[in-house]
Amino acid sequence: MSLFQILFRHLRQYPKDICGALIAMLLSALAVLYQPRLLESIQKDLLKGDTSKVISDSIWIIGLGLIAIVAGVLNVYFAAKLAQGVTSDLREEVYEKIQSFSYANIDTFSTGSLTTRLISDMNQIMNLIMSIFMQLLRLPIILVGSFVLAIITIPRFWWITLLVLVVLTIVGLFILKLVNRQFEQYQVRLDKVANLAQENLLGIRVVKSFNQEDRQVNKFSLASDALNRLNLNIGYLMSAVIPAFSIIAYIAICAVTTMIGLQIKLHPTDIAVISPYVNYILTLLFVVWIIGIALMNVSRGKVSLGRIKEILDTKPSIIFNEAAPDDTLSGDVEFDDVSFTYPGNTKPTLQHISFNVQAGEMIGIVGATGSGKSTLAQLIARLYDPTSGIIKIGGSDLKKVNEKALRKSVSFVLQKAILFSGTIASNLRQGKSDATKAELERASAIAQAFEFVRNYQDGFNHEVQERSANFSGGQKQRLSIARGIISNSPILILDDSTSALDAESEKKVQDALEHKLKDTTTFLIAEKIVSVKNADRILVLDEGKLVAQGTHEELLKTSNIYQEIFKTQQAREKRGEL
């Protein structure tokens, strides 16, 4: 798909606005072009002393002026409406496309870059559409019309008119070429500033905890100064346009008026054409200048459109079989010789993992940091596809399963608790959109969240502020667990989701999961063995390999790695570190 095909798909949804903008643009251009001709007629009538014709032409000039004003206003109205509509539709299309991305796709774009594309790049595309329907389609008509009418006005000086147009065009193209080079770097620099700002704001607590404010300010200042220098360079180049064009136009005007003055005895009526000729030359100057600006907007819009195209052309790395039934799958899970390597890496994160889980089992997953615990969980939810091997849920290969069926069958509580602005109820209902109040209470009770939710005067309607700043880490985790439980999926994955809870709250959550979700296949990923010791089976990972599995008691007897982790954690507990 070409860049402008992307726009055309959305432009054709607004035929009335396109027609309105084009008709108003054409009327405005014709009114602008014909006014100097009437001015020439008035001056000739004055020389003849024809007062009635002067009055008639003056009324026509006023009428044309009013038409130009009304047409200009209507052109701006329709162009702005069209640009806003197309940009809004395109932004929604891009946002929807991003939602279809897998984790692997998201990894190729930074969050700051995606935000910039949805906001800054969309604004550039909106300016592009405005430029096309307000300037690029109108200005060529005025340019050609002014050039032709200037020659008709004083035919013997046609070569001056042609020379002016050629020189203006050459100077304009030269400056445009220089500016375009700067614009190509602009969005990249803007991405960097956006990324730094986002990282700093999201990690502001870490920055303050380690007293890194000055370092972060310096990093941001360097990126911001680079963007500022680029903007200044663009400004310097732009500031040279009007003086350069003005010098060219006024030299031409001076030359023509001087030559007319020298030949006035031979051509006495030329006194009436000086004013319209000057008008057309200044119009040429203005038009070439505005075309240059419009082309710069087109250049910027083209760069932005290319960045949007990059998103739209990205194919989701995970394709679901939509022809498969969307029935909920059972809780059986099977890994058959599964290996996985993250895109761009050469070292496998998981190697030759094989195990079977029966529906209703509680499975603990432990291992050192970087052993692949979270990656294994993400493969169950098919957030990534394995590099090799087969993963089955309910006896079905995940690559042959319908997406709705998988999402109904697997509920994933992420390691980092994330709540969205809104209410507690709206967050929990992300797990089940039609959840009743009774279901909200049940899920939050299992997650030990109801004990603080019921203390709010507005209960589940209590506000969740931006980045859930009005909740503690433990409260966010409990609400995240409740959101995962409420869907009542056959498989529940808790990726170290109780790390912020105190020992008593964690014990209550585990007991509730064990007794109230007996039929749910539960995967508990944890750093602490105490969090999974009551699981039906524990999988031990080490450097991406499944090195042991069994109950807590069995592993203490048979697995050296498990024994080492357990003893280390016991020692840390005695020292008060855990």
Side-chain angles (χ1 to χ4, degrees):
M1 190 190 313
S2 69
L3 294 180
F4 289 98
Q5 279 179 326
I6 295 173
L7 283 184
F8 180 73
R9 286 188 296 110
H10 294 286
L11 283 170
R12 63 187 182 186
Q13 304 298 320
Y14 299 89
K16 292 180 181 178
D17 294 321
I18 291 174
C19 290
L22 292 176
I23 292 170
M25 174 271 297
L26 186 61
L27 287 174
S28 174
L30 293 176
V32 168
L33 286 172
Y34 198 66
Q35 279 178 320
R37 298 296 294 173
L38 286 174
L39 184 61
E40 178 186 344
S41 178
I42 288 172
Q43 289 175 336
K44 287 180 177 178
D45 292 338
L46 285 171
L47 291 174
K48 295 176 184 177
D50 191 344
T51 307
S52 61
K53 192 74 166 52
V54 169
I55 294 172
S56 172
D57 288 341
S58 298
I59 293 171
W60 270 106
I61 282 185
I62 295 171
L64 281 176
L66 291 174
I67 290 172
I69 291 171
V70 173
V73 170
L74 288 174
N75 177 243
V76 172
Y77 168 77
F78 285 115
K81 188 180 175 185
L82 178 64
Q84 289 284 355
V86 170
T87 307
S88 177
D89 293 346
L90 185 58
R91 184 184 289 113
E92 289 173 12
E93 181 187 4
V94 172
Y95 189 78
E96 185 178 347
K97 179 73 174 187
I98 292 171
Q99 298 305 309
S100 73
F101 283 175
S102 67
Y103 273 28
N105 294 129
I106 293 293
D107 290 342
T108 63
F109 299 96
S110 67
T111 308
S113 177
L114 289 174
T115 304
T116 302
R117 293 175 201 231
L118 283 169
I119 299 173
S120 177
D121 284 308
M122 286 298 176
N123 287 338
Q124 296 301 335
I125 291 170
M126 182 171 66
N127 291 336
L128 168 64
I129 297 169
M130 292 280 285
S131 294
I132 290 172
F133 286 93
M134 284 177 58
Q135 296 170 339
L136 285 183
L137 297 177
R138 172 176 175 262
L139 294 177
I141 297 172
I142 298 178
L143 178 69
V144 174
S146 297
F147 176 70
V148 171
L149 290 172
I151 292 175
I152 291 172
T153 303
I154 311 180
R156 66 181 182 280
F157 294 142
W158 64 269
W159 57 273
I160 294 179
T161 308
L162 180 60
L163 185 63
V164 169
L165 181 61
V166 170
V167 174
L168 285 175
T169 303
I170 291 172
V171 173
L173 288 175
F174 175 73
I175 294 175
L176 180 65
K177 186 177 180 180
L178 294 177
V179 172
N180 281 345
R181 291 175 184 172
Q182 308 293 321
F183 282 145
E184 288 172 2
Q185 302 175 41
Y186 181 83
Q187 294 301 130
V188 176
R189 298 271 177 92
L190 191 62
D191 273 355
K192 188 172 182 180
V193 170
N195 280 329
L196 285 173
Q198 186 174 47
E199 284 177 1
N200 187 69
L201 292 173
L202 291 175
I204 193 68
R205 289 178 174 84
V206 176
V207 172
K208 291 188 173 294
S209 298
F210 289 92
N211 195 29
Q212 292 294 301
E213 291 92 341
D214 290 342
R215 183 170 178 271
Q216 291 297 321
V217 168
N218 288 334
K219 281 176 65 178
F220 186 83
S221 295
L222 288 172
S224 180
D225 289 346
L227 182 64
N228 185 46
R229 285 194 298 272
L230 191 62
N231 270 327
L232 286 174
N233 289 338
I234 293 171
Y236 294 148
L237 290 170
M238 292 293 293
S239 65
V241 174
I242 295 181
F245 281 13
S246 297
I247 289 171
I248 296 165
Y250 288 127
I251 288 174
I253 291 168
C254 182
V256 169
T257 51
T258 300
M259 284 187 283
I260 286 175
L262 293 173
Q263 301 175 12
I264 196 67
K265 290 182 180 180
L266 295 174
H267 306 281
T269 56
D270 280 358
I271 195 73
V273 299
I274 292 176
S275 180
Y277 183 80
V278 168
N279 230 313
Y280 286 128
I281 291 295
L282 291 177
T283 301
L284 278 177
L285 178 153
F286 174 77
V287 169
V288 173
W289 174 55
I290 296 298
I291 285 176
I293 293 176
L295 288 175
M296 280 185 269
N297 284 335
V298 169
S299 177
R300 295 183 74 172
K302 189 177 177 183
V303 171
S304 294
L305 203 53
R307 285 158 55 83
I308 295 302
K309 182 178 182 293
E310 192 178 350
I311 294 176
L312 294 176
D313 285 350
T314 299
K315 294 181 180 179
S317 59
I318 294 177
I319 306 297
F320 289 90
N321 180 12
E322 298 305 328
D326 58 3
D327 299 331
T328 304
L329 306 170
S330 70
D332 299 324
V333 178
E334 179 185 349
F335 271 55
D336 183 8
D337 195 28
V338 171
S339 297
F340 176 75
T341 304
Y342 280 102
N345 289 358
T346 54
K347 184 180 178 181
T349 303
L350 295 174
Q351 302 178 57
H352 306 293
I353 305 291
S354 295
F355 62 85
N356 283 285
V357 175
Q358 299 301 312
E361 276 192 282
M362 181 179 284
I363 304 297
I365 303 177
V366 298
T369 301
S371 59
K373 302 185 298 296
S374 294
T375 302
L376 188 146
Q378 290 168 356
L379 293 180
I380 297 172
R382 209 188 172 197
L383 301 179
Y384 291 97
D385 270 339
T387 308
S388 63
I390 298 173
I391 301 173
K392 294 181 180 180
I393 290 181
S396 300
D397 185 345
L398 284 191
K399 292 184 178 179
K400 299 177 181 178
V401 167
N402 182 287
E403 184 177 12
K404 289 182 180 178
L406 180 60
R407 299 302 171 226
K408 287 191 295 184
S409 304
V410 181
S411 184
F412 199 143
V413 182
L414 296 169
Q415 189 172 8
K416 183 179 180 182
I418 297 174
L419 300 178
F420 296 87
S421 55
T423 64
I424 293 174
S426 68
N427 273 274
L428 297 190
R429 287 192 174 115
Q430 287 175 338
K432 187 180 181 185
S433 58
D434 59 349
T436 63
K437 186 178 180 182
E439 289 174 317
L440 295 177
E441 290 177 354
R442 174 183 177 271
S444 57
I446 294 172
Q448 307 305 306
F450 193 53
E451 61 185 46
F452 68 84
V453 172
R454 65 185 173 192
N455 290 330
Y456 296 130
Q457 209 168 26
D458 45 2
F460 288 102
N461 291 320
H462 190 70
E463 180 189 9
V464 178
Q465 295 176 0
E466 185 182 358
R467 299 205 309 273
S468 53
N470 55 332
F471 292 94
S472 68
Q475 288 175 325
K476 286 190 282 188
Q477 279 200 334
R478 282 182 276 184
L479 288 172
S480 294
I481 294 169
R483 180 172 57 195
I485 291 170
I486 202 167
S487 61
N488 205 26
S489 301
I491 299 170
L492 174 65
I493 303 171
L494 301 175
D495 186 2
D496 204 13
S497 304
T498 58
S499 57
L501 302 185
D502 58 81
E504 183 181 353
S505 296
E506 185 178 20
K507 181 70 167 60
K508 288 180 179 178
V509 171
Q510 289 171 351
D511 289 344
L513 291 173
E514 187 175 349
H515 295 100
K516 296 185 179 180
L517 297 178
K518 288 182 179 180
D519 297 329
T520 301
T521 304
T522 307
F523 288 87
L524 296 174
I525 301 168
E527 292 289 338
K528 298 179 291 184
I529 285 179
V530 68
S531 301
V532 299
K533 64 184 295 186
N534 293 327
D536 297 319
R537 193 162 21 124
I538 300 171
L539 307 181
V540 183
L541 297 180
D542 183 53
E543 295 185 356
K545 297 177 181 178
L546 179 60
V547 294
Q549 58 179 306
T551 64
H552 174 66
E553 289 76 16
E554 289 171 348
L555 291 171
L556 284 177
K557 296 175 184 177
T558 60
S559 173
N560 293 331
I561 292 175
Y562 190 81
Q563 291 169 13
E564 186 180 339
I565 296 172
F566 185 64
K567 287 176 182 176
T568 302
Q569 290 184 359
Q570 278 189 320
R572 291 177 64 189
E573 281 182 20
K574 289 178 181 177
R575 294 196 301 268
E577 295 176 14
L578 286 177

